[in-house]
Amino acid sequence: MANLVYKRVSTDQQSTARQDLVLAEAGIEDPVVFEEDPGTSSRLHPLQRPKFGELLTYARPGDTVHISEMFRLVRGNQHILDVLDVLHRDRLALRIHDGAFSAMDLTARHPRTGELLSTVKFMVQTLAAAGELQRDLQRELTYDGLRAAEAKGAKGGRRPAVAGATAADVRTAYLEGRSIAALARDHRVSRGAIRTAVADLLPDHTAIEEDAPAPELPVTLDMPGKVADYLRTTELDPAERAALDQGVAVRRGQGYTLRVSAVPAVHRQLLARCQPLDGGQGAAAVPAQRKARREYESRVSALTTAGP
């Protein structure tokens, strides 16, 4: 009986470090690993993903499919039920090693009808619906935040690059000693855009940007497991997702904390992402999740206070 391990990340800037840790702690014997190409979206049905298709072709009755968390394999109710039907058809077991589904035997069937047990189906649908609700709430909060920023005159997205017509003026001003930060303010673009415009001048002429802030250095904070579990179900930007995926789980009794190393700005962004755990937007707060979020908030706040 073979142990088949399936791994996937949603963007090419993420790593499988978190999955590797969970699966290593599980002590799987002689694993045969199937890993999707980086950036394989969870929106793509699992049965249409190349490596999961290879896994099913390779598998034989009695084999066990291992994944770190359910969302690495499926997204939403129908994905789960479709995959369970295929695993049942091929007589394969499914073992999930972390997250809400880890304590459940999702392949349990009625001994006479052969259908998925009603209790299992109910729990699968309930937990999947809860995950979808969290993602939808996060999208709504993000949209509301953007609308509020626009009402104050702010605009989202990247700031524009230096227009071709003004690039010569920027280069001349830079050579005359104008700082990158000052040029960015003058032309209403990012500092990166100015650096791009003067890139070939940088090795020979370095301007002193007295008003530029010092670069932030990564800081390690312990994130409560309930906060980490919630964030894994939300839409994150690549830097946030990478920090979460590269976090190291530290067991604490029956729970765990995730040791996350990231620059302070990313910690603050992750804290903002889990605001729904405090309740609001029509959703009731779960006391344990709210407490976990506030613990993380106190650590991030202490970091901000101690910073430059």
Side-chain angles (χ1 to χ4, degrees):
M1 304 299 179
N3 289 309
L4 314 178
V5 170
Y6 178 76
K7 296 190 290 185
R8 181 192 64 80
V9 292
S10 297
T11 75
D12 57 10
Q13 297 183 19
Q14 297 175 14
S15 78
T16 60
R18 159 71 181 162
Q19 299 172 68
D20 294 339
L21 175 65
V22 171
L23 294 167
E25 289 180 343
I28 302 169
E29 295 184 2
D30 301 322
V32 181
V33 179
F34 296 84
E35 182 176 342
E36 298 286 359
D37 289 338
T40 302
S41 173
S42 62
R43 293 182 176 86
L44 182 64
H45 197 292
L47 300 180
Q48 297 175 343
R49 297 178 197 157
K51 288 299 179 180
F52 191 63
E54 288 183 20
L55 181 151
L56 293 176
T57 301
Y58 180 92
R60 295 294 179 266
D63 291 352
T64 300
V65 179
H66 297 266
I67 54 177
S68 58
E69 301 102 352
M70 175 61 93
F71 75 92
R72 296 296 178 185
L73 177 59
V74 298
R75 177 192 178 100
N77 289 342
Q78 197 54 53
H79 283 195
I80 297 176
L81 297 177
D82 289 346
V83 168
L84 292 180
D85 283 342
V86 170
L87 295 179
H88 175 65
R89 180 199 67 194
D90 294 346
R91 289 181 286 168
L92 304 176
L94 176 63
R95 183 72 176 89
I96 304 166
H97 294 279
D98 199 14
F101 291 94
S102 59
M104 299 172 57
D105 179 6
L106 299 181
T107 55
R109 300 271 169 168
H110 193 282
R112 289 183 292 278
T113 67
E115 295 181 353
L116 192 67
L117 286 178
S118 57
T119 52
V120 172
K121 188 174 182 179
F122 172 77
M123 289 300 297
V124 165
Q125 292 175 327
T126 300
L127 290 171
E132 290 180 356
L133 174 63
Q134 289 178 333
R135 287 192 294 269
D136 290 343
L137 287 174
Q138 185 61 46
R139 281 194 291 269
E140 290 174 6
L141 290 171
T142 300
Y143 176 75
D144 290 344
L146 290 172
R147 287 286 302 278
E150 288 175 359
K152 294 180 180 178
K155 290 186 178 181
R158 290 187 177 184
R159 299 178 71 178
V162 176
T166 60
D169 294 339
V170 168
R171 291 165 63 82
T172 300
Y174 178 73
L175 288 172
E176 291 174 351
R178 190 76 170 154
S179 74
I180 289 177
L183 287 169
R185 288 195 300 270
D186 292 346
H187 295 275
R188 299 178 181 273
V189 297
S190 68
R191 293 174 185 175
I194 298 295
R195 289 191 184 93
T196 299
V198 300
D200 60 318
L201 306 177
L202 290 174
D204 301 320
H205 182 94
T206 302
I208 300 176
E209 299 180 63
E210 297 180 352
D211 55 347
E216 291 187 316
L217 298 177
V219 177
T220 301
L221 291 182
D222 282 351
M223 176 187 293
K226 293 185 184 301
V227 172
D229 289 342
Y230 170 78
L231 288 173
R232 290 193 187 98
T233 68
T234 66
E235 296 292 336
L236 304 177
D237 68 26
E240 297 165 353
R241 181 64 67 184
L244 203 65
D245 285 346
Q246 293 169 12
V248 177
V250 179
R251 298 296 172 183
R252 305 289 188 192
Q254 295 182 346
Y256 76 98
T257 60
L258 190 66
R259 194 152 289 165
V260 178
S261 294
V263 296
V266 171
H267 282 297
R268 290 190 287 270
Q269 289 169 210
L270 290 170
L271 176 63
R273 298 280 192 191
C274 59
Q275 179 65 42
L277 294 181
D278 271 347
Q281 296 290 321
V286 177
Q289 290 181 326
R290 180 170 55 192
K291 179 180 177 182
R293 183 198 176 277
R294 291 181 178 177
E295 287 178 4
Y296 184 48
E297 182 177 28
S298 67
R299 292 167 189 168
V300 174
S301 298
L303 171 66
T304 304
T305 301

